[in-house]
Amino acid sequence: MEKDYDAIVIGGGHAGAEAALALARTSLRTLLMTLTPDAIAYMACNPSIGGTAKGHLVREIDALGGQMGINADATYLQMRMLNRGKGEAVHSLRAQSDKIKYHLTMKRALEEQDNLDILQAEAEKILTKGGAVCGVKTTLGDVYSARAVVVATGVYLNSDIITGEWKKQSGPSGFAGATHLTDSLLDLGLEIRRFKTGTPARVDGRTVDYSVMQAQEGEDVYPFSFMTEGRAVNTAKCHLTYTTQATKDVIMRNIARSPLYNGSIKSTGPRYCPSIEDKVMRFADKERHQIFIEPESAFTHEVYVQGMSSSLPFDVQEEMYHTVIGLERARIVRYAYAIEYDCIDSTRLLPTLRVKDVEGLYTAGQINGSSGYEEAAAQGIMAGINASLWLRGEEPLVLSRDEAYIGVLIDDLVTKGTNEPYRMMTARAEHRLHLRQENADMRLTPKGRRVGLVSDERWEKFEKKREQTALFSPLLSKFPPKEEAEAFLGSLGEGGSGGYTYAQLFKRTGTDAEGVKTFFPEWEACDTRVLGEIITSCRYAGYLDKQKAAIEREKKMEGKPIPPDIDYLNMHGLRLEARQKLDKIRPLNLGQAARISGVSPADITVLMVRLYGKKE
């Protein structure tokens, strides 16, 4: 069996799958080492892809040449656009996925990828020589050589499943955990932390009373991948229901038995995805909480009880779930549980996701302190890209905060760090008006092409879209015929005559591509998706101009490098906290330094004067 590779990816989850594909697709001999192929791209928690801000990440992964969007489009049950009540910039696509089909389809994509081997094995040690990676040793004693290793172990490192008083060393969903690799990471100088996440019960859908719930229908939307033709065809429904006062009573009566409140769980959980007992305790005045009943797969009757993550004992869960409207007679198939696991301090990483001081070692996904399939996949493709570029002797790819949500995600992790499982949100992206999900290909596909991930077929589609945009954008400054303009304004419930350019008309509330084509023959030949993006750009034009000015100011800071050997600890004028934070993170430039928590504008001024002899 082949034991010499260019790169090894440890872990076959959402991060590992993208990392392995990125490496193999750039013609590097790659080994994907997983505890079990049965867990490749497995959805251990919610059976969905996308959602608020996460939908942006999926589109960006796709634009770079990744697999998650294509896989989601091939396996969804239902699609909806979230945040429709807000502006287009924060509209976020979400797919209810068939979790069984999603896993199998991604596994097949990995199996059929050239230059990629899959091996069931547990990594025990990352081997190094002279401060550089040289291979991986398994628990069976086998050694596989490689100059680059991507660690994407998810929540499997020393993981413990906890439900009430019951605790078991195990990975999620009954899969085996990884019990050896943490020691190797410690030996390499990485700081290990304990984080927690959880999942709700799965119940038999045949025992759910959907008649007392509100059906959540799918929508007519474009899918995730820019390669997918047509619009979504929905085949399943989700349902909205609520907890009751009885739910609250059961939880309050048994709160002393909750591992979250009796001290059994000491690790940090996700703030933005709390357990049901957390919700009840933190929002004591709230009468009820939303619960979504979501199908897990077309191949099973199991449904996912979204919003009721818990680690309460089994008997309490039985009583608690039966107090939810429509679940009075529901039969639990899988109980809810919490899972604790090891992860690293992500400030020990470079923006390329390479571990500082260990050449060739990269990490991606929940081992970096993030949560979510999409956040993991985004890190996975970037770690794979940068490991590939390094192996090929090329410049790394670092996405800035104004280029992608992926850039925001990674910059937050490596610059600010996280003391709780990190979740991507639109509010974290200060340039979100520019970083819309529909223009991800225009922002990132040329970068994916440069690194070797964008296929000829994808590039051809991108070029056609760019040509259409260039062809029709000049029309925006033109004045349409008066009669057409009046009819268009009338359709929007507005009066008025002509005298407006297309750009001015497109800013009107209610304007969409179909309406424009109906009233203005000049735009009929424009691709509907391209026209939609042009309309959105007109609507945000004034704000985007302001944002571009802010981006330019930030780029000046990013363009001021900091010497890697600078002595922060003895730099007079800096506050003690700033010295310690700067010394630990060792930012690459003044822009990154300014984003470090605990470093003030006054500290940045001191750095500017020391490095460049003046204040900007």
Side-chain angles (χ1 to χ4, degrees):
M1 181 177 176
E2 177 70 53
K3 291 192 175 182
D4 297 320
Y5 291 89
D6 295 311
I8 297 173
V9 177
I10 301 174
H14 303 279
E18 293 291 351
L21 287 170
L23 285 156
R25 286 171 176 171
T26 49
S27 302
L28 294 168
R29 289 281 299 135
T30 305
L31 176 66
L32 176 63
M33 190 178 290
T34 174
L35 292 170
T36 171
D38 295 333
I40 285 175
Y42 188 76
M43 294 178 165
C45 197
N46 55 312
S48 68
I49 295 294
T52 302
K54 293 168 178 282
H56 291 69
L57 290 175
V58 179
R59 283 266 173 88
E60 291 179 349
I61 293 164
D62 182 73
L64 286 168
Q67 193 69 21
M68 176 171 265
I70 293 172
N71 212 63
D73 290 352
T75 59
Y76 70 92
L77 298 169
Q78 180 200 87
M79 285 195 178
R80 292 171 63 89
M81 190 68 73
L82 306 187
N83 290 341
R84 282 198 182 273
K86 302 177 182 179
E88 287 94 335
V90 295
H91 287 182
S92 300
L93 186 62
R94 182 184 188 272
Q96 190 65 39
S97 295
D98 187 316
K99 68 183 293 181
I100 295 174
K101 192 175 179 182
Y102 188 94
H103 149 69
L104 291 173
T105 304
M106 186 67 85
K107 182 171 180 283
R108 177 60 62 87
L110 291 163
E111 289 173 339
E112 294 183 346
Q113 178 60 51
D114 293 340
N115 304 310
L116 179 60
D117 292 337
I118 299 172
L119 175 68
Q120 179 171 317
E122 180 179 352
E124 179 180 295
K125 188 174 183 178
I126 297 166
L127 305 175
T128 60
K129 185 176 182 180
V133 163
C134 62
V136 174
K137 180 182 178 183
T138 73
T139 53
L140 297 178
D142 288 330
V143 172
Y144 296 84
S145 65
R147 290 176 55 222
V149 171
V150 179
V151 182
T153 46
V155 298
Y156 285 79
L157 285 185
N158 286 334
S159 51
D160 291 318
I161 298 292
I162 303 169
T163 303
E165 300 85 6
W166 182 82
K167 182 175 181 179
K168 179 183 179 182
Q169 191 172 60
S170 171
S173 302
F175 292 116
T179 58
H180 292 78
L181 193 60
T182 294
D183 288 341
S184 180
L185 297 175
L186 286 167
D187 291 341
L188 292 171
L190 290 166
E191 179 185 329
I192 299 299
R193 300 174 172 184
R194 290 289 277 181
F195 277 2
K196 176 200 79 74
T197 187
T199 190
R202 277 69 163 176
V203 303
D204 188 333
R206 295 170 297 182
T207 63
V208 173
D209 183 2
Y210 295 109
S211 68
V212 296
M213 300 179 181
Q214 180 182 336
Q216 302 284 295
E217 303 282 354
E219 296 177 347
D220 179 21
V221 293
Y222 287 110
F224 283 110
S225 178
F226 294 99
M227 299 299 291
T228 303
E229 299 290 343
R231 297 170 77 92
V233 178
N234 299 289
T235 59
K237 297 178 184 179
C238 297
H239 290 81
L240 170 64
T241 185
Y242 295 91
T243 62
T244 62
Q245 180 62 42
T247 313
K248 185 175 180 179
D249 292 342
V250 170
I251 292 170
M252 296 297 290
R253 195 167 59 245
N254 292 280
I255 199 65
R257 297 180 65 194
S258 168
L260 294 174
Y261 288 89
N262 63 20
S264 300
I265 292 179
K266 298 181 175 63
S267 52
T268 307
R271 183 190 316 180
Y272 301 103
C273 189
S275 66
I276 188 63
E277 50 263 44
D278 253 350
K279 292 179 187 177
V280 166
M281 295 298 288
R282 285 162 54 184
F283 307 105
D285 296 334
K286 194 164 185 177
E287 293 183 3
R288 63 181 189 173
H289 296 275
Q290 283 189 336
I291 303 298
F292 291 92
I293 307 301
E294 302 174 341
E296 290 234 305
S297 171
F299 301 98
T300 179
H301 291 295
E302 289 183 60
V303 294
Y304 181 87
V305 188
Q306 174 76 273
M308 286 198 75
S309 169
S310 180
S311 59
L312 285 163
F314 302 123
D315 60 308
V316 179
Q317 289 189 37
E318 287 280 358
E319 185 180 2
M320 175 183 70
Y321 279 103
H322 290 152
T323 64
V324 175
I325 297 171
L327 298 187
E328 293 86 355
R329 294 178 176 80
R331 185 174 67 81
I332 295 177
V333 179
R334 305 174 197 248
Y335 288 101
Y337 62 82
I339 182 168
E340 288 185 309
Y341 56 93
D342 290 346
C343 58
I344 67 167
D345 175 3
S346 56
T347 62
R348 290 295 313 279
L349 303 174
L350 295 169
T352 59
L353 294 179
R354 201 204 86 188
V355 175
K356 296 173 182 176
D357 306 323
V358 186
E359 197 171 68
L361 180 60
Y362 298 79
T363 61
Q366 287 182 268
I367 189 175
N368 290 342
S370 64
S371 69
Y373 311 141
E374 302 83 2
E375 289 88 342
Q379 294 170 69
I381 192 171
M382 293 306 296
I385 286 172
N386 280 308
S388 172
L389 291 170
W390 178 73
L391 287 168
R392 291 183 279 154
E394 299 180 22
E395 288 296 309
L397 175 63
V398 175
L399 299 175
S400 61
R401 299 179 71 90
D402 61 272
E403 289 180 313
Y405 270 77
I406 295 175
V408 176
L409 163 67
I410 293 175
D411 184 66
D412 280 351
L413 288 173
V414 305
T415 302
K416 301 175 183 179
T418 182
N419 292 318
E420 62 187 24
Y422 178 101
R423 178 181 178 181
M424 191 71 244
M425 296 180 292
T426 54
R428 297 189 191 274
E430 58 270 38
H431 304 302
R432 55 188 171 275
L433 296 185
H434 172 60
L435 305 179
R436 303 187 304 277
Q437 59 177 359
E438 85 273 4
N439 67 11
D441 56 340
M442 303 302 286
R443 291 184 279 116
L444 299 178
T445 297
K447 296 180 185 295
R449 183 70 168 179
R450 177 182 75 80
V451 302
L453 275 189
V454 169
S455 66
D456 290 342
E457 181 186 3
R458 181 183 290 274
W459 186 248
E460 184 180 347
K461 290 196 71 167
F462 169 77
E463 287 279 46
K464 286 181 179 178
K465 181 178 178 181
R466 187 157 60 178
E467 288 168 6
Q468 278 250 314
T469 303
L471 178 64
F472 283 93
S473 291
L475 295 181
L476 292 171
S477 60
K478 291 182 61 177
F479 292 87
K482 181 180 178 181
E483 299 77 13
E484 293 176 7
E486 288 178 348
F488 175 74
L489 289 169
S491 72
L492 300 177
E494 296 186 28
S497 58
Y500 297 106
T501 64
Y502 282 117
Q504 291 169 327
L505 289 170
F506 288 0
K507 292 181 180 181
R508 298 302 203 274
T509 300
T511 302
D512 58 29
E514 287 77 11
V516 169
K517 287 188 174 188
T518 298
F519 292 97
F520 302 117
E522 203 165 9
W523 290 87
E524 283 182 9
C526 186
D527 179 83
T528 302
R529 292 186 79 166
V530 171
L531 180 52
E533 291 179 32
I534 290 174
I535 292 169
T536 301
S537 295
C538 290
R539 193 166 289 145
Y540 282 123
Y543 301 102
L544 288 172
D545 288 341
K546 293 179 181 179
Q547 206 160 85
K548 286 176 183 176
I551 290 170
E552 287 304 312
R553 289 194 297 271
E554 292 168 14
K555 283 191 180 298
K556 288 183 180 179
M557 295 283 281
E558 299 288 335
K560 295 185 178 297
I562 299 176
D565 57 350
I566 189 170
D567 185 2
Y568 293 108
L569 296 178
N570 291 310
M571 185 175 288
H572 298 294
L574 290 178
R575 296 172 305 109
L576 178 60
E577 181 185 10
R579 295 183 201 179
Q580 293 171 341
K581 291 286 183 67
L582 289 164
D583 184 66
K584 178 183 179 182
I585 295 175
R586 309 208 67 82
L588 301 181
N589 53 62
L590 285 176
Q592 187 184 6
R595 294 190 296 273
I596 296 173
S597 176
V599 176
S600 69
D603 297 319
I604 296 301
T605 298
V606 172
L607 270 178
M608 282 183 177
V609 172
R610 290 297 181 91
L611 293 172
Y612 298 100
K614 61 179 180 178
K615 175 184 175 183
E616 290 290 321

